[in-house]
Amino acid sequence: MLELLHTTNRDLSSPKGDILRGLLSSVGDEPHLLAQLRDQAVDSATGVWLTILGRAVARGEASPETLHPRVATVALTLLRNEYVTRGLATLPDSVVVEIVDEVYLPLIRGRTP
């Protein structure tokens, strides 16, 4: 999960990420285009994250209840949110590690009291 999020972060920090952020900002007045971009991005990413999470469930590292698209992609959503809400062109790897260690892993493993 960490490697997948690092890869996504590198993509978002690249010229390709610049183009994607530009597209997202320019389609604000075109709700149908924004919906298409969102649907395509979510559909392609969700399958990968569900597969990885399914393997973690099979190994006993995650609860079967976590096999839900929103849970599976929450780390990716948080990463994207960093770019969108902060207007950043690049994100330090430490933020990626924090998203995984402090949010994603506790979510899929369940917090202990």
Side-chain angles (χ1 to χ4, degrees):
M1 292 177 185
L2 187 57
E3 183 56 35
L4 182 58
L5 209 57
H6 275 303
T7 300
T8 302
N9 187 41
R10 283 189 298 272
D11 284 348
L12 290 173
S13 296
S14 72
K16 177 176 141 183
D18 289 339
I19 293 168
L20 178 59
R21 286 190 301 279
L23 283 171
L24 289 173
S25 68
S26 67
V27 297
D29 294 332
E30 301 291 335
H32 65 283
L33 291 176
L34 183 59
Q36 286 179 338
L37 278 173
R38 185 182 58 241
D39 291 345
Q40 288 177 355
V42 168
D43 288 346
S44 63
T46 300
V48 172
W49 283 88
L50 281 170
T51 297
I52 292 170
L53 190 54
R55 291 175 184 163
V57 168
R59 292 188 305 267
E61 298 172 353
S63 167
E65 291 80 21
T66 62
L67 285 174
H68 185 281
R70 288 199 189 272
V71 173
T73 59
V74 73
L76 179 60
T77 301
L78 289 171
L79 178 71
R80 287 179 183 157
N81 187 59
E82 289 288 324
Y83 282 94
V84 172
T85 61
R86 297 177 191 258
L88 301 173
T90 187
L91 200 63
D93 283 340
S94 62
V95 174
V96 174
V97 171
E98 186 177 87
I99 288 170
V100 171
D101 288 351
E102 301 299 325
V103 179
Y104 198 68
L105 290 178
L107 175 67
I108 65 168
R109 290 181 178 159
R111 289 201 182 265
T112 55

